[in-house]
């Protein structure tokens, strides 16, 4: 089974609204990362949060990590149509980054 | 620096054929990983190469193989293609402390 599981599977919001996506995982991790994928293209790294961190910000992105619940959330504030993409969480499964396991992703649609 | 380059971008093959995909990592990156992405299974790890050695392998049949050259370029080969091999194949490289993956745009393989 996959290490990471995002929810919701799909999310549709209006421009200017905030979007929140969640990720759950099963085993201990060193870090958790979020990636973005535009349709049919490669993934782009967004942000990394380490297991000893609880919150991290990057521009309009805010990531939280709760290791006791084995979950993370990605918040995109003031969304734009250009944020329309799929978002994936990835964990290193505590094996020092030799292998990353991706969740199934959340498909975000931001309507103008 | 140039990004990760994957060729070809699109490929159409028939069942039973074999295919070779190519990936050139970011200059200086010695690790190259391959992922298969399908709508049903999401992103599945195939294998990782580091300095010409396979360092990690996912749960795929032996029809899927790869190699890495001394210049870190990597190829993956799929023999005896099946319809279920139709997917987006993504290559990712990393360097330095290896925490982030840098993806290519992928090769979209269609097996007819």
């Amino acid at each position: 089974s996959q290490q990471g599981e995002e929810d919701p599977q799909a999310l549709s919001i209006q421009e200017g609204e905030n979007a929140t996506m969640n990720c759950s995982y099963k085993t201990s991790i060193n870090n958790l990362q979020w990636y973005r994928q535009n349709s049919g293209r490669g993934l782009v790294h967004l942000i990394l949060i380490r297991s000893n961190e609880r919150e991290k910000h990057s521009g309009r992105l805010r990531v939280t990590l709760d290791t006791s619940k084995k979950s993370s959330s990605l918040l995109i504030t003031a969304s734009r149509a250009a944020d329309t993409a799929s978002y994936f969480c990835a964990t290193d499964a505590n094996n020092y980054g030799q292998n990353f396991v991706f969740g199934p992703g959340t498909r975000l649609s931001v309507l103008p | 620096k140039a990004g990760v380059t994957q060729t070809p971008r699109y490929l159409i093959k028939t069942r039973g054929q074999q295919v070779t995909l190519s990936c050139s990592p970011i200059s200086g990156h010695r690790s190259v990983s391959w992922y298969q992405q399908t709508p049903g299974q999401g992103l599945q790890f195939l294998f990782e190469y580091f300095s010409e050695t396979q360092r990690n392998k996912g749960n795929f049949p032996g029809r899927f193989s790869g190699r890495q050259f001394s210049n870190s370029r990597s190829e993956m080969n799929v023999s005896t293609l099946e319809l279920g091999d139709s997917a987006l194949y993504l290559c990712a490289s990393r360097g330095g402390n290896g925490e982030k993956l840098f993806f290519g745009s992928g090769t979209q393989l269609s097996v007819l």
Side-chain angles (χ1 to χ4, degrees):
Chain A
S1 61
Q2 292 195 355
Q3 167 78 324
E5 299 283 340
E6 289 98 337
D7 89 274
Q9 291 187 343
L11 181 61
S12 186
I13 60 174
Q14 297 292 134
E15 257 189 330
E17 293 181 337
N18 295 341
T20 299
M21 289 159 269
N22 303 297
C23 168
S24 61
Y25 57 92
K26 294 182 173 66
T27 65
S28 298
I29 60 171
N30 291 310
N31 65 61
L32 184 144
Q33 304 179 47
W34 285 90
Y35 288 80
R36 163 200 167 118
Q37 182 181 36
N38 287 81
S39 183
R41 308 296 292 184
L43 282 71
V44 176
H45 181 269
L46 294 176
I47 195 166
L48 178 153
I49 186 165
R50 301 186 191 286
S51 59
N52 61 354
E53 298 175 311
R54 291 297 167 257
E55 187 171 313
K56 204 160 183 180
H57 297 253
S58 177
R60 294 184 296 112
L61 305 180
R62 173 178 166 250
V63 169
T64 60
L65 179 65
D66 186 335
T67 53
S68 67
K69 295 180 180 178
K70 291 187 169 59
S71 67
S72 172
S73 67
L74 171 68
L75 168 67
I76 303 174
T77 60
S79 62
R80 307 165 182 166
D83 294 329
T84 294
S86 292
Y87 293 82
F88 297 86
C89 68
T91 55
D92 68 346
N94 207 26
N95 62 359
Y96 302 99
Q98 290 203 19
N99 177 18
F100 294 89
V101 181
F102 287 82
T106 292
R107 174 71 188 165
L108 173 66
S109 297
V110 181
L111 307 174
Chain B
K1 280 185 179 178
V4 178
T5 304
Q6 288 189 249
T7 57
R9 183 73 180 93
Y10 300 96
L11 207 48
I12 299 175
K13 292 286 187 178
T14 56
R15 277 183 300 175
Q17 286 187 311
Q18 76 165 21
V19 67
T20 300
L21 311 181
S22 179
C23 172
S24 293
I26 290 172
S27 178
H29 285 190
R30 294 161 64 189
S31 165
V32 174
S33 299
W34 289 89
Y35 289 83
Q36 180 196 66
Q37 186 178 29
T38 59
Q41 296 297 316
L43 273 150
Q44 301 287 316
F45 172 74
L46 281 155
F47 28 65
E48 181 194 16
Y49 285 87
F50 182 85
S51 294
E52 301 179 67
T53 301
Q54 188 179 87
R55 185 160 73 171
N56 212 351
K57 189 177 189 303
N59 189 26
F60 276 81
R63 300 184 298 107
F64 292 82
S65 63
R67 59 177 174 168
Q68 187 179 33
F69 302 96
S70 58
N71 62 357
S72 293
R73 189 177 71 85
S74 177
E75 289 181 346
M76 70 161 279
N77 184 76
V78 188
S79 62
T80 319
L81 284 166
E82 301 176 359
L83 295 179
D85 297 332
S86 294
L88 179 66
Y89 289 87
L90 292 164
C91 160
S93 74
R94 55 190 168 129
N97 64 11
E99 288 184 320
K100 291 189 282 190
L101 293 172
F102 295 84
F103 283 85
S105 295
T107 294
Q108 183 68 54
L109 172 65
S110 297
V111 182
L112 306 178

